[in-house]
Amino acid sequence: MTAEPLKITVVLADDQAVVRDGLVLLLSASDDVTVLAAARDGREAVELVLQHRPDVALLDLRMPELDGAEVTAELAVSAPEVRVLVLTTFADDDAILPALRAGALGYLTKDATGEELLAAIREVAAGRTALDPSVQRRLVELVSGPAGTPAATPPPPSQPPGGLTRREVEVVRLVAEGLTNGQIARRLVLSEATVKTHLNHILAKLDVDGRPGLVAWAWRQGLGGEAVR
C-alpha cells in the first residue's frame, strides 16, 4: 500500500471575510494543502500560528492589530520553523521591504491566480523564495529610489563584487531585471538546472535572504545596468 503524501499545513490571515473565506475554499480544494485555521487580524494570526505550528503562514500585508511585517517579525522569534508568504493588494505597498527584512520568504499580489498562489505556497514550504514580478519591481524601486529618479550607484567594478564570477554577475543582473530562471536560461543559452546551480552558489557566497535579498543587493552594487563585458 502506497503511503499518502504529507500535506502542507497552512494558517492564513486576512481581515476581509470574503477574501479569507475564498482563500480557505481555494486552498482546501488542493490535494496537498490543508488549512488549519484562519485569522481575522495580525494578533490572532500570531496566536493561531503558535497554536497550530503550520508549515506556512499566509499573511495579508495590511491587517488590524499587527500588519504582515509585524507578524512576520514576531514569528521569526517565536516560531522560526514556520515559513511566511505575504499577500499584498498593491505592489507599491511600502510594507514590502519591512516584511522582507523580517524574514518573509514569499510575496504575491492578490491578483495572482489560484495556481500561482498554490505554487508559491509549495515553494515557500520547501524553503525557497516565491516572488511576484510586480513585487520584485517594487523592491527594486524601494532600493534604487523613487520612480524617475536615477539611483546613486557606484560605477561598475573592474572585478565582480562579492567574490562572484562574471557569469554569476550576469545571472544576478537578470534576476534584478525580474526574469525567471527559465527566462535567464534562454537569455544566457543555459539549462534551467545550470541557472539554479548558479543561483545556489550566488546565494551561498553573498549570504542574502533568497531572491528578494539578492535583488536588493544587486541594486546596491549598481548591477542593474548592462551585462559585464
Side-chain angles (χ1 to χ4, degrees):
M1 183 181 293
T2 306
E4 201 172 307
L6 293 176
K7 290 199 173 188
I8 299 168
T9 54
V10 175
V11 166
L12 64 87
D14 196 292
D15 62 316
Q16 295 182 334
V18 68
V19 174
R20 189 169 62 248
D21 294 346
L23 288 171
V24 170
L25 284 173
L26 170 67
L27 300 184
S28 298
S30 173
D31 292 335
D32 62 343
V33 175
T34 298
V35 178
L36 300 179
R40 294 163 294 184
D41 58 53
R43 178 55 61 195
E44 187 180 26
V46 173
E47 293 169 358
L48 290 175
V49 168
L50 295 181
Q51 177 185 341
H52 293 282
R53 300 282 171 165
D55 299 311
V56 175
L58 177 62
L59 307 175
D60 186 15
L61 203 50
R62 293 297 190 190
M63 294 185 290
E65 303 294 334
L66 298 172
D67 65 23
E70 291 168 328
V71 174
T72 300
E74 286 212 16
L75 296 181
V77 174
S78 54
E81 76 282 5
V82 177
R83 276 71 181 259
V84 174
L85 172 60
V86 171
L87 282 173
T88 176
T89 303
F90 303 106
D92 61 353
D93 197 320
D94 287 335
I96 289 174
L97 198 54
L100 166 64
R101 287 173 175 152
L105 274 183
Y107 299 81
L108 282 184
T109 55
K110 287 185 178 177
D111 60 359
T113 65
E115 250 179 48
E116 289 168 339
L117 176 57
L118 287 166
I121 287 172
R122 294 176 187 121
E123 287 293 294
V124 169
R128 296 186 290 267
T129 300
L131 193 62
D132 186 286
S134 59
V135 174
Q136 180 158 316
R137 286 193 293 273
R138 179 54 182 156
L139 282 173
V140 169
E141 290 173 11
L142 287 168
V143 171
S144 61
T149 304
T153 54
S158 57
Q159 293 297 321
L164 302 182
T165 66
R166 290 185 179 273
R167 175 61 89 186
E168 287 169 345
V169 170
E170 289 179 327
V171 171
V172 170
R173 287 185 186 279
L174 296 177
V175 168
E177 287 179 23
L179 273 64
T180 65
N181 287 0
Q183 291 169 327
I184 294 171
R186 289 190 290 276
R187 180 79 65 88
L188 298 180
V189 196
L190 301 170
S191 71
E192 203 163 335
T194 299
V195 171
K196 188 176 290 188
T197 298
H198 279 313
L199 280 171
N200 287 338
H201 289 164
I202 291 165
L203 294 174
K205 285 180 179 181
L206 301 181
D207 191 27
V208 294
D209 185 19
R211 211 174 185 100
L214 181 57
V215 172
W217 180 89
W219 282 85
R220 284 197 300 270
Q221 296 296 321
L223 297 180
E226 298 178 1
V228 172
R229 303 292 182 195

